[in-house]
Coordinates of all heavy atoms in Angstrom, one line a residue:
T656 N 30.5 99.1 266.5 CA 30.2 97.6 266.9 C 29.2 97.6 267.9 O 29.3 98.3 269.0 CB 31.6 97.0 267.2 OG1 32.5 97.0 266.2 CG2 31.3 95.6 267.7
Y657 N 28.2 96.7 267.7 CA 27.2 96.6 268.8 C 27.0 94.9 269.2 O 27.1 94.2 268.4 CB 25.8 96.9 268.1 CG 25.7 98.4 267.6 CD1 26.3 98.8 266.4 CD2 25.1 99.3 268.3 CE1 26.2 100.1 266.0 CE2 25.0 100.5 267.9 CZ 25.6 101.0 266.6 OH 25.6 102.3 266.3
V658 N 27.2 94.8 270.4 CA 27.2 93.5 271.0 C 26.1 93.2 272.0 O 26.0 94.0 272.9 CB 28.6 93.1 271.6 CG1 28.7 91.7 272.1 CG2 29.7 93.4 270.6
N659 N 25.3 92.2 271.8 CA 24.3 91.9 272.8 C 23.9 90.5 272.6 O 24.1 89.8 271.6 CB 23.1 92.9 272.6 CG 22.2 93.0 273.8 OD1 22.4 92.3 274.7 ND2 21.3 94.0 273.7
S660 N 23.1 90.0 273.7 CA 22.5 88.8 273.5 C 21.5 88.8 272.3 O 20.9 89.9 272.2 CB 21.7 88.3 274.8 OG 22.7 88.2 275.8
A671 N 26.2 85.5 271.8 CA 25.7 86.9 271.6 C 25.9 87.1 270.1 O 26.7 86.5 269.4 CB 26.7 87.8 272.5
M672 N 25.3 88.3 269.7 CA 25.6 88.7 268.2 C 26.5 90.0 268.4 O 26.3 90.8 269.2 CB 24.1 89.1 267.6 CG 24.3 89.7 266.3 SD 22.8 90.3 265.6 CE 22.0 88.6 265.1
T673 N 27.4 89.9 267.3 CA 28.2 91.1 267.2 C 27.9 91.7 265.8 O 27.9 91.0 264.7 CB 29.7 90.8 267.2 OG1 30.1 90.4 268.5 CG2 30.5 92.0 266.9
V674 N 27.4 93.0 265.8 CA 27.1 93.7 264.6 C 28.1 94.7 264.3 O 28.2 95.5 265.2 CB 25.6 94.2 264.5 CG1 25.3 95.0 263.2 CG2 24.7 93.2 264.8
L792 N 18.0 91.0 267.4 CA 19.0 91.8 268.3 C 18.2 92.9 268.9 O 17.8 93.8 268.1 CB 20.2 92.3 267.5 CG 21.3 93.2 268.3 CD1 22.2 92.4 269.1 CD2 22.0 94.1 267.4
T795 N 20.3 98.0 271.1 CA 21.8 97.8 271.6 C 22.6 98.9 271.5 O 22.6 99.5 270.4 CB 22.5 96.6 271.0 OG1 21.6 95.4 271.2 CG2 23.8 96.3 271.4
E796 N 23.2 99.4 272.6 CA 24.1 100.6 272.4 C 25.5 100.2 271.8 O 25.9 99.0 271.9 CB 24.4 101.1 273.9 CG 23.3 101.8 274.5 CD 23.7 102.4 275.8 OE1 23.7 101.7 276.9 OE2 24.0 103.7 275.9
K797 N 26.1 101.1 271.3 CA 27.3 100.8 270.5 C 28.5 100.5 271.5 O 28.4 101.1 272.5 CB 27.8 102.1 269.7 CG 29.1 101.9 268.9 CD 29.3 102.9 267.8 CE 29.3 104.3 268.4 NZ 29.5 105.4 267.3
Q798 N 29.2 99.4 271.1 CA 30.3 99.0 272.0 C 31.2 100.1 272.4 O 31.8 100.8 271.5 CB 30.9 97.7 271.4 CG 32.0 97.1 272.2 CD 32.6 96.0 271.6 OE1 32.8 96.1 270.3 NE2 33.0 94.9 272.2
D804 N 32.8 95.2 277.6 CA 32.6 95.0 276.1 C 33.5 93.9 275.7 O 33.1 93.0 274.7 CB 32.7 96.2 275.4 CG 31.7 97.2 275.6 OD1 30.4 97.0 275.6 OD2 32.0 98.4 275.8
N807 N 31.8 90.7 276.6 CA 30.7 90.5 275.6 C 31.2 89.9 274.4 O 30.6 88.9 273.8 CB 29.9 91.7 275.5 CG 29.0 92.1 276.6 OD1 28.8 91.3 277.5 ND2 28.7 93.4 276.7
F808 N 32.2 90.4 273.9 CA 32.7 90.0 272.6 C 33.2 88.6 272.6 O 32.8 87.7 271.6 CB 33.9 90.8 272.1 CG 34.6 90.4 270.8 CD1 33.9 90.6 269.6 CD2 35.8 89.7 270.7 CE1 34.4 90.2 268.4 CE2 36.2 89.2 269.6 CZ 35.6 89.5 268.4
R810 N 31.8 86.2 274.1 CA 30.7 85.4 274.2 C 30.1 85.1 272.8 O 29.2 84.4 272.7 CB 29.5 86.0 275.1 CG 29.9 86.2 276.6 CD 28.7 87.0 277.3 NE 27.5 86.4 277.0 CZ 26.5 87.2 276.7 NH1 26.7 88.4 276.4 NH2 25.2 86.7 276.4
T811 N 30.6 85.8 271.8 CA 30.2 85.5 270.4 C 30.8 84.2 269.9 O 31.5 83.6 270.6 CB 30.5 86.8 269.5 OG1 31.9 86.7 269.4 CG2 30.0 88.1 270.0

Side-chain angles (χ1 to χ4, degrees):
T656 301
Y657 301 79
V658 182
N659 202 351
S660 299
M672 179 184 283
T673 297
V674 180
L792 177 79
T795 301
E796 290 184 281
K797 185 162 59 176
Q798 185 181 34
D804 291 317
N807 285 340
F808 180 75
R810 294 172 53 232
T811 69

